[in-house]
Amino acid sequence: MDPKLTEVSQLFERFKAALVRNDYDTCTKLLSQLKVLLTEFKSLPPLFEETPNAIHELTIARDIYEHAVVLSVKIEDQDAFERDFFQLKPYYTDAGGHLPQSPQEYPILGLNLLRLLVQNRIAEFHTELELLSATALENPCIKHAVELEQSFMEGAYNRVLSARQTVPHETYVYFMDLLAKTVRDEIAGCSEKAYDSLSIKDARQMLLYSSDQELSEYIKEEHPEWETKNGFVIFQRAKESAPCKEIPSLQLINQTLSYARELERIV
Amino acid sequence: MTQDVEMKELPAPSNTVSTVGPSTLQHLKEIASLIETGAYAREVRRIARAVRLTIALRRKLKASVLSAFLNFALVPGSEVHSRLSSYLPKEDEHDMEVDAATSATQAPAKHSLPEFEIYCYLLVLIFLIDQKRYNEAKACSSASIARLKNLNRRTVDVLASRLYFYYSLSYELTGDLADIRGNLLALHRIATLRHDELGQETLLNLLLRNYLHYNLYDQAEKLRSKAPRFEAHSNQQFCRYLFYLGKIRTIQLEYTDAKESLLQAARKAPAAALGFRVQCNKWAVIVRLLLGEIPERTVFMQKGMEKALRPYFELTNAVRIGDLKLFKTVAEKFSNTFSSDRTHNLIVRLRHNVIRTGLRNISISYSRISLVDVAKKLRLDSANPVADAESIVSKAIRDGAIDATVDHANGWMVSKETGDIYSTNEPQIAFNSRIAFCLNMHNEAVRALRFPPNSHKEKESAEKRRERQQQEQELAKHIAEEDDDEF
């Protein structure tokens, strides 16, 4: 076997062992070494040269990046996740024809969808979704993310929260927790508009806090304009668009003048 | 200018022999002379006209006619000639030989013209595609593209842009679009460097089509936003561009812009392009639904489109009523159509709009309604429908879809009195935007009027022009020599 390939696979074994031990410092160190080594293989994207070991090299590189994505979730680094995911993506899209499908493919794609949802990058979420085939959409990992997005758009927030119990993969928990925070902000924004006031008990339940203490801290930090009085949270309603009392004369004059100018040009 | 082109056209029918073959050949020769004058006079418009005339002849092209034309336009025995003839099936050519022989005597000067060569490539390519011989078409188009890369003449640009199109089409028909992506990008770069705007336009569309074929919306948008834009040269290309742009924007949830692009594409498309307009309308209907609008019935009753738009009509109906169950049945009933139109994911997005419309209907009908009833009316089938209904209602309030408040303690929704819209500035704003639209339309129409260049100048004969050009060239040479002397 190619000595370089042997070196990479040995290093990768050590990386995997460290990942199992949850020794993240060693993992990150080994990962950067691995990535440097991978640059020497010519069969990998973007070159895709036909070398004798191409299949083997592609498989191991894909495996490494898959683990890198999982690692980034474990160390809760979203930027690293994005970087690693983009490095991994060509292995699914462009090299897909040469390799047997990875069992990790759908969980990781679903994870990425979830990340986009958490970061509220809905346009990218849908762009990614278009790339998936009908069979991929049936996969529980992907379906989970797609259904979450739907509930989120509809406003059925308790469905989003209850989805945490049914995560298809352990790595999803991190993003689901982040999503819970986003959901709380959404609920707060909606309640503000929909209710005149709420009892503190109801508000606490709705915003998913276990104690009144936490609730009042949240209000102080995020929504200082809310008032708490007599066991009620009173929302300051935004000023209604009152019927117009005055004629916006200046604007009207400007508009009429511009019509006159244009008409003159036509005639 | 158009006058003298038409004059040339006139003699053609009178000369034609009764059989179809020679008359098509005659037409081709007319076109060839058009290309020739266009090439010498450097008038791109004439070549564009030649291409248009060719498309009209498309159905009449036959192998025998083509090989006769190849003999006429190219040097028999030259590399191009032999290569192109190899694509044509051998038929009895003896009745054409006379024709070829007569033309050979009068045509020696033409043979050096690269325009003819490219034009022959184009003819053979169209013929091969019409004959459904896609693999040969692929080979032929690749050869022509390789030749084109070495040509830098403005008069070839029009022909080249058609060739690019058929190049991509032949690969699409065999399902290998991904293979030529790199090549198209290289061609686009070359076209940009040569300021070949028509080529850039065509290639940009082909690239967008290529990306969208594989649902690579991200890449398509990146290319589109970075590629140079200029005023459109060809209406057809502009329509395509608008359609692709509309698709990209739909996927990226920019519905307002998407609607504008798609409707404009549908309006600008030529009446004959029925399939294209149907596609535009399908997408436009979905985008309007996603925006919360209900397209008018006339949209679905357009001539020739009723059948194709039927699934979308029923879908619209379901959204209009706000009935989740009906929506689901329609989506399932036509799921094959929707997935072949690749609109399935968009339909999934619509679910949320169905709920919104239903909610709006409820809010208008009732001044006060319990959340239990809201959940029942919306047919929310979930574990905890009342809590779902409450959060859905509150989100709809926040997004401005309905004007109401929720009373949590009593568990009901109270709709607010709808104010008199005419007491606000709304009508004034709407009126203004309509006037602005009309004025803008007028201005654009004025701007779009085209005048042939130099039509006011006296027409100079081809001879004189050639003389003048020769003089200019000599002058240029002198100047260049003088420059050399100085340094």
Side-chain angles (χ1 to χ4, degrees):
Chain A
M1 201 151 91
D2 187 26
K4 267 194 277 180
L5 200 56
T6 329
E7 191 188 347
V8 168
S9 32
Q10 277 169 357
L11 210 56
F12 186 40
E13 287 305 321
R14 280 172 56 200
F15 170 81
K16 276 199 272 194
L19 194 61
V20 170
R21 287 200 310 273
N22 289 345
D23 181 358
Y24 299 137
D25 289 338
T26 326
C27 279
T28 8
K29 230 178 282 161
L30 286 173
L31 183 63
S32 39
Q33 284 177 29
L34 277 169
K35 283 186 180 171
V36 173
L37 285 174
L38 283 182
T39 53
E40 292 176 23
F41 293 137
K42 288 205 169 55
S43 63
L44 303 184
L47 291 171
F48 284 121
E49 261 173 47
E50 295 280 341
T51 53
N53 285 329
I55 301 279
H56 203 108
E57 288 167 8
L58 280 169
T59 319
I60 199 164
R62 185 176 68 181
D63 221 10
I64 289 173
Y65 284 120
E66 277 172 353
H67 279 82
V69 169
V70 174
L71 173 70
S72 67
V73 176
K74 288 198 173 162
I75 56 175
E76 310 193 344
D77 184 345
Q78 292 187 33
D79 292 337
F81 181 97
E82 189 168 354
R83 270 197 311 275
D84 290 330
F85 178 77
F86 279 127
Q87 279 177 311
L88 177 61
K89 215 173 149 194
Y91 292 90
Y92 292 148
T93 52
D94 299 345
H98 310 293
L99 298 177
Q101 200 183 23
S102 155
Q104 291 297 311
E105 178 167 347
Y106 291 143
I108 286 184
L109 288 176
L111 206 56
N112 183 49
L113 288 176
L114 203 56
R115 172 184 69 93
L116 292 172
L117 198 58
V118 169
Q119 297 175 341
N120 208 8
R121 286 152 73 174
I122 305 293
E124 282 169 72
F125 178 91
H126 284 289
T127 315
E128 288 289 323
L129 205 59
E130 286 296 320
L131 287 172
L132 300 174
S133 64
T135 42
L137 290 175
E138 288 301 311
N139 186 279
C141 296
I142 303 219
K143 220 173 174 181
H144 181 78
V146 173
E147 279 171 4
L148 271 181
E149 193 264 352
Q150 267 187 44
S151 312
F152 199 77
M153 287 308 283
E154 275 166 32
Y157 295 121
N158 35 355
R159 241 184 284 159
V160 177
L161 296 172
S162 61
R164 193 185 180 285
Q165 268 83 54
T166 57
V167 284
H169 201 261
E170 33 156 15
T171 42
Y172 281 47
V173 173
Y174 164 62
F175 283 118
M176 291 306 290
D177 287 343
L178 286 179
L179 198 60
K181 280 181 207 143
T182 322
V183 167
R184 177 177 295 152
D185 291 335
E186 284 284 311
I187 294 177
C190 290
S191 319
E192 188 176 44
K193 293 271 156 37
Y195 305 103
D196 293 322
S197 65
L198 273 179
S199 75
I200 288 195
K201 185 169 151 274
D202 289 337
R204 196 191 71 207
Q205 265 175 9
M206 229 175 260
L207 295 175
L208 321 157
Y209 282 111
S210 45
S211 72
D212 294 354
Q213 182 79 35
E214 284 173 314
L215 177 68
S216 58
E217 265 171 36
Y218 175 76
I219 293 177
K220 220 181 275 167
E221 266 177 39
E222 302 282 334
H223 298 277
E225 72 278 9
W226 295 1
E227 232 179 297
T228 36
K229 223 171 19 187
N230 311 333
F232 278 92
V233 181
I234 299 164
F235 304 108
Q236 303 293 322
R237 322 211 94 235
K239 292 276 177 287
E240 302 283 317
S241 58
C244 141
K245 303 223 169 57
E246 240 176 279
I247 296 170
S249 40
L250 202 63
Q251 193 193 345
L252 269 181
I253 292 170
N254 272 335
Q255 280 174 2
T256 321
L257 279 178
S258 74
Y259 301 154
R261 213 178 306 126
E262 294 280 346
L263 278 176
E264 206 164 43
R265 227 188 281 171
I266 294 172
V267 182
Chain B
M1 287 293 165
T2 41
Q3 267 177 1
D4 63 37
V5 175
E6 271 156 20
M7 300 254 275
K8 256 179 219 154
E9 286 294 293
L10 282 177
S14 58
N15 284 354
T16 45
V17 198
S18 53
T19 50
V20 184
S23 90
T24 318
L25 188 62
Q26 275 300 330
H27 279 300
L28 284 178
K29 284 183 183 169
E30 295 293 335
I31 294 171
S33 68
L34 200 61
I35 293 178
E36 191 195 3
T37 38
Y40 278 124
R42 310 242 165 96
E43 276 187 70
V44 180
R45 277 187 330 109
R46 279 175 197 265
I47 306 224
R49 191 179 160 80
V51 172
R52 269 204 304 282
L53 289 172
T54 314
I55 301 301
L57 282 180
R58 186 168 173 175
R59 283 182 204 292
K60 293 189 202 153
L61 289 181
K62 286 204 183 68
S64 54
V65 177
L66 272 181
S67 58
F69 182 72
L70 290 186
N71 288 335
F72 163 73
L74 301 169
V75 186
S78 69
E79 196 202 337
V80 198
H81 182 272
S82 53
R83 187 188 295 153
L84 281 176
S85 318
S86 71
Y87 294 121
L88 300 173
K90 289 282 166 285
E91 280 177 30
D92 47 345
E93 287 174 34
H94 53 266
D95 56 342
M96 294 296 154
E97 270 165 22
V98 190
D99 219 279
T102 49
S103 60
T105 50
Q106 48 152 314
K110 298 173 187 169
H111 290 158
S112 53
L113 270 185
E115 280 83 359
F116 273 174
E117 192 186 328
I118 299 302
Y119 182 67
C120 290
Y121 269 120
L122 182 63
L123 273 182
V124 174
L125 189 53
I126 293 177
F127 172 74
L128 287 174
I129 289 178
D130 285 347
Q131 298 285 311
K132 302 201 165 40
R133 286 156 57 189
Y134 301 131
N135 283 322
E136 279 157 302
K138 269 162 72 176
C140 175
S141 57
S142 306
S144 69
I145 295 298
R147 177 77 183 91
L148 271 179
K149 280 186 182 169
N150 300 321
L151 278 176
N152 187 5
R153 285 167 75 109
R154 291 293 71 76
T155 40
V156 177
D157 287 349
V158 182
L159 295 169
S161 71
R162 299 312 301 158
L163 266 183
Y164 298 146
F165 174 78
Y166 288 110
Y167 173 56
S168 168
L169 180 66
S170 60
Y171 274 83
E172 187 177 334
L173 288 169
T174 51
D176 309 310
L177 263 187
D179 298 350
I180 57 166
R181 201 178 294 149
N183 236 333
L184 287 178
L185 282 166
L187 285 170
H188 185 262
R189 196 166 50 230
I190 292 173
T192 311
L193 289 174
R194 288 177 182 169
H195 300 288
D196 168 12
E197 296 193 343
L198 186 63
Q200 282 179 61
E201 211 171 61
T202 315
L203 285 164
L204 179 63
N205 278 335
L206 291 176
L207 278 165
L208 290 180
R209 184 181 181 85
N210 201 317
Y211 284 131
L212 296 191
H213 188 82
Y214 297 96
N215 283 340
L216 295 166
Y217 287 92
D218 200 20
Q219 281 91 328
E221 170 58 20
K222 279 189 180 130
L223 173 72
R224 190 203 63 78
S225 56
K226 292 187 173 61
R229 285 299 300 158
F230 33 79
E231 221 167 294
H233 284 256
S234 143
N235 183 42
Q236 282 90 328
Q237 295 302 336
F238 189 51
C239 287
R240 289 202 181 99
Y241 176 78
L242 284 173
F243 177 57
Y244 299 141
L245 179 62
K247 270 174 114 169
I248 295 172
R249 283 180 168 162
T250 311
I251 295 301
Q252 304 198 327
L253 296 105
E254 295 167 29
Y255 298 137
T256 322
D257 295 343
K259 180 186 137 197
E260 207 172 292
S261 309
L262 288 169
L263 287 181
Q264 208 183 346
R267 265 201 298 266
K268 278 194 183 235
L274 186 67
F276 179 79
R277 284 191 298 136
V278 169
Q279 281 296 323
C280 286
N281 272 308
K282 281 179 183 173
W283 279 75
V285 165
I286 294 187
V287 169
R288 292 181 68 181
L289 288 177
L290 283 168
L291 273 171
E293 297 173 19
I294 304 294
E296 311 79 25
R297 193 171 270 266
T298 47
V299 171
F300 302 98
M301 297 299 149
Q302 294 175 73
K303 213 173 149 231
M305 293 191 195
E306 297 99 333
K307 202 158 168 247
L309 292 182
R310 185 81 205 166
Y312 294 87
F313 176 67
E314 292 194 16
L315 196 71
T316 310
N317 233 353
V319 178
R320 189 174 57 88
I321 300 168
D323 185 339
L324 263 186
K325 214 171 210 172
L326 182 64
F327 173 74
K328 238 180 235 166
T329 38
V330 172
E332 267 160 33
K333 188 171 152 202
F334 296 109
S335 67
N336 282 335
T337 324
F338 294 143
S339 45
S340 70
D341 286 345
R342 300 207 246 175
T343 46
H344 184 260
N345 284 338
L346 297 175
I347 308 258
V348 173
R349 286 190 213 172
L350 267 178
R351 189 187 132 87
H352 153 234
N353 288 64
V354 180
I355 296 178
R356 277 284 157 86
T357 343
L359 204 56
R360 205 174 306 149
N361 289 345
I362 294 172
S363 144
I364 292 169
S365 331
Y366 299 88
S367 59
R368 194 167 69 187
I369 183 170
S370 77
L371 291 169
V372 183
D373 288 338
V374 171
K376 226 180 270 167
K377 278 185 187 298
L378 290 178
R379 304 199 208 192
L380 298 171
D381 42 350
S382 62
N384 193 353
V386 180
D388 274 0
E390 184 168 356
S391 55
I392 288 173
V393 168
S394 58
K395 185 157 194 276
I397 294 172
R398 189 197 58 171
D399 295 348
I402 52 173
D403 201 7
T405 50
V406 181
D407 190 331
H408 184 76
N410 296 316
W412 60 48
M413 168 179 116
V414 185
S415 304
K416 282 188 201 155
E417 289 286 309
T418 42
D420 178 15
I421 192 84
Y422 284 96
S423 67
T424 64
N425 275 330
E426 279 306 314
Q428 163 66 22
I429 293 165
F431 189 47
N432 178 44
S433 73
R434 285 180 199 184
I435 294 176
F437 175 79
C438 290
L439 291 174
N440 206 14
M441 173 84 92
H442 176 264
N443 284 342
E444 272 183 20
V446 170
R447 220 175 295 149
L449 289 177
R450 275 194 200 178
F451 303 97
N454 300 333
S455 57
H456 55 285
K457 277 188 199 162
E458 215 177 308
K459 285 173 194 162
E460 48 181 357
S461 68
E463 288 266 313
K464 264 190 193 166
R465 184 180 288 130
R466 230 169 284 167
E467 246 171 59
R468 183 173 53 84
Q469 276 165 355
Q470 216 167 8
Q471 281 175 356
E472 276 171 9
Q473 271 174 2
E474 270 169 32
L475 201 66
K477 220 185 271 172
H478 278 302
I479 294 170
E481 276 166 12
E482 276 169 25
D483 277 357
D484 283 342
D485 291 343
E486 275 175 34
F487 297 107

